[in-house]
Amino acid sequence: MDLNIFKNNLEKYAAYYNPSSLFDKIKKYAKKAGVKTVYAILILYYATFDKSLPVKDRLMVVAALGYFILPVDLIPDALPGGFVDDAGAALYVVRHIWNNLSKETFTKARNKLSEWFGKVNESDLSI
């Protein structure tokens, strides 16, 4: 994946990305998006605080979170299956950066997920 694509679009996505917008969208669509998608988004969110994450990975994280928050999607979120594109972007980035993430990032994401969804099956968290 070309790093310049992310750099060129970073400002566009950054305008939409902030924790308030992210959590507002998750709260609004959490059940529709599903546990796995929300878990991936939370991993990405907490990865933004991981100082050991390489810059290239950070750019991918910000782009994926920005796309999730962006009000215009390839597939509108209000339609059935509207989170397929958001989930695909988030899961792609999580898989790409998985080995560079700290245990603390995963723990924070799981704790927040449990706070919002209650008890979650471990099988729902496989990415």
Side-chain angles (χ1 to χ4, degrees):
M1 191 151 293
D2 188 5
L3 185 58
N4 290 327
I5 293 171
F6 291 108
K7 285 181 181 178
N8 293 338
N9 290 312
L10 187 58
E11 286 183 26
K12 179 175 111 178
Y13 290 124
Y16 291 99
Y17 176 74
N18 63 63
S20 177
S21 294
L22 178 66
F23 288 138
D24 287 347
K25 184 158 185 180
I26 290 173
K27 286 175 189 174
K28 184 175 181 180
Y29 293 107
K31 287 186 180 180
K32 187 173 182 180
V35 172
K36 190 174 294 213
T37 299
V38 173
Y39 182 53
I41 294 297
L42 288 170
I43 289 170
L44 294 176
Y45 171 72
Y46 288 111
T48 65
F49 300 103
D50 188 344
K51 301 297 181 201
S52 66
L53 198 63
V55 173
K56 183 178 178 184
D57 289 353
R58 279 183 192 283
L59 291 172
M60 292 178 73
V61 167
V62 171
L65 289 173
Y67 184 76
F68 180 77
I69 296 168
L70 200 66
V72 178
D73 283 340
L74 291 174
I75 303 171
D77 296 335
L79 294 177
F83 283 96
V84 171
D85 57 331
D86 300 271
L91 292 170
Y92 172 82
V93 174
V94 168
R95 285 184 185 137
H96 183 78
I97 67 171
W98 188 271
N99 292 328
N100 294 331
L101 295 171
S102 68
K103 183 178 179 180
E104 183 180 9
T105 297
F106 293 108
T107 300
K108 287 179 179 180
R110 284 176 187 241
N111 289 343
K112 182 57 82 174
L113 193 70
S114 294
E115 180 184 318
W116 287 347
F117 285 88
K119 186 173 177 155
V120 177
N121 292 330
E122 195 65 30
S123 63
D124 291 334
L125 304 181
S126 62
I127 291 182

